[in-house]
Amino acid sequence: MHITLEDVAADYKLGPIRHADVLVHVQAVFRDKALTAVIGHTGSGKTSLLKVLTGLITPTQGRIRVGDIMVDAQDYSASHHKAIRKKMGLVFQYPETQLFAETVEKDIIFGPMNLGVPEQEAKEQARELAIKVGLDPKLLAASPFSLSNGQRRRVAIAGILAMKPDILMLDEPAAGLDPAGRKDILSLIMNWHREHQLTTILVTQDIDEAACYADEMIVMSEGTVVMQADTREVLSDPELLRAYNLESPRVRVLQEKIEYRAGIKLPRVCITIEELASALIEAGLV
Amino acid sequence: MAEPVLEVKGLSFRYIQHHDQQGDSEAISNVSLRILRGEWVALLGRNGSGKSTLAKLLAGILSPHGGEILLHGEPLDMDHSRRSDLPIGIITHHPDDHMIGTTVQDDIAFGLENRNIPYDEMKHRVEEVLERFKLSPYRHHDPSRLSSGLKQLAAIAGVLALKPSLIILDEALTMLDTRSKLEMIDTLRQLQVSEAITILSITHDMNEAAAADRLFIMESGTITASGTPDAIFKLYQELEPPLGESLRRCLLHKGRKVPSKYMTEEEVVDWLCTSPSKTLRQITS
């Protein structure tokens, strides 16, 4: 499902008069069926962007279009925003802290049952989802609080997927996990995205991660979108990234180092070590 | 080499969840290790392997249930948390845990004040760390309003101002972006040389771990291996090695002739840019 933001602004009320602008003149497009990463420094407005999309904060200016529904700040309709919201599944930062039911199964079926799915059907679905996200179905009867952090996070993600969103949004889904755990969670999201052709928005501070998984990137700085392009295009200009306080992915930094020392220019931006090795071989450096 | 700063013998610890609960497993069981003066060691392991628990035991935040800890050869009192002059500094990945002062400079001075450091000396040390970590522009800022990266720098500065003989970094660099992280690794390396400080870093970042002189691997509460980065990355093929070594292995995998030994990033770059094929290519082009 295609999402467009036109000149969107939003702020947090600090009191009756004062407010803090969190989003200003945001222009962005999230392409249908693409995985778009939103990157930016801490405090650049990444999370606020997700909040305004899902209606957790109201836009003060501009238009948001999701599929054929539109929310216009000038002529604000809460019911439109709600309609948009129903299409979205948002996995918050540290989602495992939001689990509350006595069992894993109850936690996963909570969302769908609120949407009117019959209990039996929701339970069957929960079982399938548990397997899909890499949880042993035996754990369905366990308390979510007896699980490890990585497992809890899978439960939280399963709970969102159970509501069958048209758009999946994830705010730092791998934060706080060890490298193996990070990889597991991200490949789980990647597989789901590919298999279901789901429009996915991944908010992350980790540019290495964004580089590996995203088709497109949106770069945010000081509350606005400063760049939006294909992943490799965004990464092709390290100077520009630096201007927004972002570092290039590590492999790209290594590539630059080699290019500088050897006085050559490799024909393309390398994101993985594999790509860098191939490019070096092609260039005749090894 | 130098004398050991810290020696741990048969350390064990278990978290007691409920007084009636059976079978609390040991979070730390029979851990022994030795860290020499001026050495940088890194502790690696999966989530839940006991790394942070070990750090807390060493820093005196938790008291062990068995074994002993010797600092400069002297056994530590199990109540050593009460000894305010304990020369072990710990920095965690939650910089907010460290923030007490209303300004950055007050925050750094807090620890010094509590140790009765004379005013002039205190002032000098605060200036020194502010300078070193490029925090001078923020000296009058409220630490709670700084970005996570700056908070983390301020927390590290506050601990280093105390001139501890051992600093423990418990994933303390995770909040920093790549560039600040590399700068911090450089600063720590300089301190290691100039002031002979001893560093124990707990990390998931293999590039950070590669900066250490020695690595310890922790699994289920025990130390299962220790050695140089070179040896450890060779032994544990499932650990994703630092970039330089990854590139070397990848080229090897693709059937290229590469040196058969472990290589750091600098070594790989040097090797690539001075290898004979490169020279040949330059001559022919």
Side-chain angles (χ1 to χ4, degrees), chain B residues 247-264:
Chain B
L247 183 58
R248 187 192 71 87
R249 285 190 195 173
C250 193
L251 288 168
L252 180 71
H253 193 70
K254 287 181 185 291
R256 298 287 141 168
K257 262 199 186 141
V258 291
S260 55
K261 65 170 194 45
Y262 170 91
M263 285 172 106
T264 65

Side-chain angles (χ1 to χ4, degrees), chain A residues 138-154:
Chain A
K138 275 184 216 146
L139 292 177
L140 284 168
S143 158
F145 304 101
S146 66
L147 307 182
S148 76
N149 275 340
Q151 285 171 327
R152 277 190 219 177
R153 197 164 292 190
R154 287 162 200 272

